[in-house]
Amino acid sequence: MDTDELSVVLPSSTVSGLSLSLHPLPILSISEHLTRLKLQIKSNLPFVLGALLGTQNGREVEIVNTFELALEEGRDDKVDHGFLVQRRDQYKQVFPSLEFIGWYTVAPAPTLRHIALQDQFTGYCSTPLLLLLQPSSSAPASSDITSQTLPFKAYEPSVEIRDKKTRSVFIEAPYKVETGEAERIAVDWTAKGGGGSTSLESHLQTQRAAVKMLHERILVLVQYVTNVIAGQVPKDHTTLRSLSALIASLPASENKGFRQEFDTEYEDVQLTAFLSALTKSTNVLNDLVDKHLVMNGVSRDERALGPGPRRRVGRQGGMPGDWAMHS
C-alpha cells in the first residue's frame, strides 16, 4: 500500500452535509466480494472494486445495491468502462429507480490511488461517493448498535485549495444503517444459515422452548406444595390462594369427551404419518423394481403391453429368451 506524505482526507473538523443511509444488502455484497477474492488469489488484502447503486434527493443519499467492476486487462488503475456501462444498464432495466452514485473498495484509508480512480467515475455521477471497507479496523467498544460498529467508512469528494493550488480530497461522511421489513427477514434468514432450517422447524423449536419453560415452572410449584405439606417450609397463605385460583381457572381436561377427542386427533396424526411413510416406501420400491428390470433388459414399454406369459430371466449368466406372444 502506498504511503502519502499529505493525507487525501480532510481532518474531522470538516463536516460533510450529506444525510447518508446504508442498507444491509451492500454490506453483505461487499463482504462476500472481499471473502471470495481472498480465497481465489490467496491474499489477505486483495484489490476490490465495485459500483454503488442507490437514490439521491438533494443531500439525502441511500445506498441500496452494488455490483462488481472490472479493470482493463493488464492495467490495475484503469476501470473497464464498457463493462461498467453494460452492468449499469442491466441493473437499470430491473431497478429503474436506482442510479449510479459511487463506488466501493477495500483499504485501510484513502490514498492518491483512490483519487485517480475517483476521477474516472465523474462521468457517471457529478460527485461519486466512496464506500471504504476497512477489514483491519477494530470496532469501538459501544453498547449502541449503530454504523460506528461496522468497518465501513463513507467519503464525499471535495476540492481543497492549498498554496494557491487545488487538489481533490475526501471528506468523511457519517451514515446510518437503514433496513426495511423485507431486508430484516432476509438478513435474519442468512444469519440463521439460509435454507438449513424451515419456518416449521423454527416454529416447533419455539414451542418446545415454551413448553420446557412451563414444565420447569410447574415443577417448582409442585416442589413448593410438597415441602409445605411435609412441613419443611412455612405456609404462605397468599401463595397458596394464588395456586388454588390458578388451578381453578384451568379447563377440565380429565373427562370422557376430552379424552375421546384427543385420542381421535392422535390417531389421525399417526395414520397420516403412517400413510406418508408407506407412500415413501412404495416409491422407493417402485424405483428399485424399475432399476431391476432395466438391468435385466426389460423396458418400461414392454411392461405396458399387458398381462401374458413373459420370458424368464436367464440364470447364472445365461441369455434370456424371447417373449412368448399369445393372442
Side-chain angles (χ1 to χ4, degrees):
M1 182 61 63
D2 297 334
T3 57
D4 304 316
E5 296 181 357
L6 190 61
S7 174
V8 297
V9 180
L10 295 182
S12 57
S13 58
T14 305
V15 180
S16 172
L18 277 181
S19 176
L20 185 60
S21 299
L22 180 62
H23 287 253
L25 181 57
I27 298 175
L28 296 175
S29 300
I30 298 172
S31 302
E32 186 273 336
H33 189 185
L34 172 62
T35 304
R36 178 159 35 84
L37 286 183
K38 279 185 176 181
L39 297 176
Q40 288 177 350
I41 66 178
K42 301 185 184 303
S43 173
N44 291 329
L45 191 61
F47 181 67
V48 178
L49 185 66
L52 301 176
L53 298 177
T55 60
Q56 183 170 4
N57 184 13
R59 300 293 289 174
E60 297 181 358
V61 180
E62 285 192 30
I63 302 176
V64 180
N65 206 343
T66 64
F67 64 84
E68 301 175 19
L69 292 178
L71 298 175
E72 290 187 358
E73 187 175 356
R75 299 283 301 274
D76 60 352
D77 58 349
K78 183 68 174 177
V79 178
D80 189 341
H81 293 279
F83 179 81
L84 190 158
V85 172
Q86 180 183 6
R87 293 300 302 274
R88 183 197 62 182
D89 294 342
Q90 290 174 348
Y91 272 85
K92 190 69 174 177
Q93 294 177 1
V94 182
F95 307 103
S97 61
L98 300 185
E99 301 287 346
F100 178 90
I101 59 174
W103 59 290
Y104 70 83
T105 187
V106 178
T111 63
L112 288 177
R113 182 185 185 185
H114 299 116
I115 292 293
L117 288 171
Q118 176 78 14
D119 295 337
Q120 300 182 43
F121 295 109
T122 54
Y124 308 98
C125 178
S126 58
T127 55
L129 300 176
L130 169 60
L131 185 62
L132 199 67
L133 171 59
Q134 301 173 314
S136 60
S137 64
S138 58
S142 174
S143 59
D144 185 18
I145 305 300
T146 63
S147 61
Q148 300 303 320
T149 62
L150 297 175
F152 285 91
K153 285 192 176 181
Y155 295 93
E156 178 187 8
S158 183
V159 176
E160 181 188 33
I161 300 177
R162 181 184 290 268
D163 298 331
K164 298 183 180 180
K165 296 181 180 179
T166 60
R167 70 183 186 112
S168 299
V169 292
F170 290 110
I171 301 176
E172 184 175 350
Y175 66 91
K176 62 180 180 180
V177 177
E178 183 173 329
T179 60
E181 186 64 27
E183 291 174 318
R184 291 192 189 97
I185 296 174
V187 171
D188 182 68
W189 181 80
T190 304
K192 290 182 179 179
S197 60
T198 62
S199 58
L200 176 60
E201 182 180 351
S202 301
H203 177 67
L204 293 178
Q205 289 178 352
T206 302
Q207 286 191 337
R208 180 180 180 274
V211 171
K212 182 180 178 181
M213 183 180 298
L214 176 62
H215 181 258
E216 292 175 352
R217 294 183 178 182
I218 291 177
L219 291 179
V220 172
L221 297 177
V222 171
Q223 185 64 35
Y224 170 75
V225 174
T226 303
N227 293 336
V228 169
I229 295 175
Q232 298 177 1
V233 296
K235 293 183 179 180
D236 186 349
H237 295 283
T238 303
T239 303
L240 293 176
R241 283 194 297 268
S242 299
L243 286 175
S244 178
L246 177 62
I247 295 173
S249 64
L250 295 177
S253 58
E254 292 301 329
N255 56 61
K256 187 176 180 180
F258 172 79
R259 178 53 58 184
Q260 290 178 350
E261 183 178 356
F262 177 81
D263 291 341
T264 302
E265 291 186 2
Y266 179 77
E267 292 171 358
D268 291 343
V269 171
Q270 293 297 319
L271 181 59
T272 303
F274 174 73
L275 291 176
S276 176
L278 184 61
T279 303
K280 185 176 180 181
S281 300
T282 304
N283 291 333
V284 173
L285 181 60
N286 187 41
D287 293 339
L288 181 61
V289 172
D290 288 343
K291 292 178 182 178
H292 175 74
L293 294 176
V294 169
M295 291 296 295
N296 289 275
V298 181
S299 66
R300 188 181 296 272
D301 294 337
E302 293 172 336
R303 294 168 55 199
L305 292 176
R310 296 185 177 182
R311 62 175 180 175
R312 296 181 61 85
V313 178
R315 297 183 179 179
Q316 298 181 355
M319 296 298 293
D322 297 330
W323 282 91
M325 303 299 295
H326 297 278
S327 57

